[in-house]
Amino acid sequence: MPKLAVLAAVTVALTLTGCGGDDKPDTGKQAAAAAPAPRAMPTAQRLTWGEAAQVSGSKGGKIRVTPLAVLYTPGAKQSDKAENGLYAVIALKVEAVDKPDTTAGGAGGGGLQWRGAGQTIDTGDGNTATTAWIGAVPEFDSLIEPGDPREGIETFDVPSKGGRLVYLNPEDQTIAASWDMPATDQGSTLGLAKVHKRIKMFS
């Protein structure tokens, strides 16, 4: 066989072999392309006092939480004094965004906390259950309908004025939003007016 014919035959064979190898799919590249991108961790909202934050409610819906006012008091004379020194009584407005819901907390976890002086304090800590205004002021113990915002009172038994109010996601207990609290009494609402009235009544 002439040398040119032999070279041509070898070239054709090599070309066919190379083409055959390209027919196999690269499963590694396909798997990498099909893998979902990792979810970014939600960023906590650091807000100023009076700004609204959209967070998760106790039933998995979206709610909008706005701190309105704060009162610092040791409590009424005829009721238990604050175990840690002061009650921080906070008036908040809560709105249901997409379905009936309310603030997280209780057995479901999450919800509002006070943080400061190296401590984390829940609404049930200290003597908050025996204040003169417990049961006499609006709270967030029932569902809030969309389009019908509600004011309510949350009380913390704290060691000092100021600190930070935080809202924890009920899903994973991470901070969804936080507000730096005023170091003095600020604001006036109907709920806080009832607190003042109860303190006066039992003093």
Side-chain angles (χ1 to χ4, degrees), residues 47-69:
L47 304 164
T48 58
W49 192 255
E51 280 191 283
Q54 185 163 298
V55 294
S56 296
S58 64
K59 304 296 181 183
K62 295 297 180 186
I63 60 172
R64 194 172 291 115
V65 178
T66 309
L68 301 174

Side-chain angles (χ1 to χ4, degrees), residues 134-166:
I134 190 73
V137 295
E139 298 173 324
F140 301 110
D141 50 4
S142 60
L143 292 180
I144 301 165
E145 297 290 334
D148 186 21
R150 186 182 306 165
E151 180 198 332
I153 296 293
E154 294 285 4
T155 303
F156 295 90
D157 189 330
V158 302
S160 61
K161 296 180 180 182
R164 193 156 59 107
L165 179 68
V166 304

Side-chain angles (χ1 to χ4, degrees), residues 14 16 20-21 30 32 55 61 71-72 85 90 107 111 115-116 120 131 135 140 157 160 175 184 187 190 193 196 202:
L14 288 173
L16 290 173
Q30 287 181 348
V55 294
L71 165 70
Y72 297 103
I90 302 171
R115 295 190 180 187
T120 296
T131 65
F140 301 110
D157 189 330
S160 61
I175 295 177
T184 58
L190 291 175
H196 280 292
F202 289 94

Side-chain angles (χ1 to χ4, degrees), residues 69-198:
V70 61
L71 165 70
Y72 297 103
T73 175
K77 291 179 180 178
Q78 295 179 38
S79 64
D80 289 338
K81 298 290 185 178
E83 182 179 302
N84 293 315
L86 283 171
Y87 292 115
V89 189
I90 302 171
L92 303 124
K93 180 176 75 172
V94 176
E95 305 168 76
V97 175
D98 53 357
K99 66 178 185 177
D101 212 329
T102 188
T103 54
L112 292 160
Q113 290 181 335
W114 181 91
R115 295 190 180 187
Q119 293 181 266
T120 296
I121 295 174
D122 292 314
T123 54
D125 292 343
N127 289 331
T128 56
T130 57
T131 65
W133 55 91
I134 190 73
V137 295
E139 298 173 324
F140 301 110
D141 50 4
S142 60
L143 292 180
I144 301 165
E145 297 290 334
D148 186 21
R150 186 182 306 165
E151 180 198 332
I153 296 293
E154 294 285 4
T155 303
F156 295 90
D157 189 330
V158 302
S160 61
K161 296 180 180 182
R164 193 156 59 107
L165 179 68
V166 304
Y167 189 95
L168 301 182
N169 285 307
E171 300 91 352
D172 56 11
Q173 313 302 301
T174 58
I175 295 177
S178 70
W179 299 264
D180 291 325
M181 290 178 55
T184 58
D185 295 356
Q186 181 173 305
S188 178
T189 67
L190 291 175
L192 284 187
K194 289 183 178 180
V195 172
H196 280 292
K197 184 177 180 180
R198 298 288 292 187

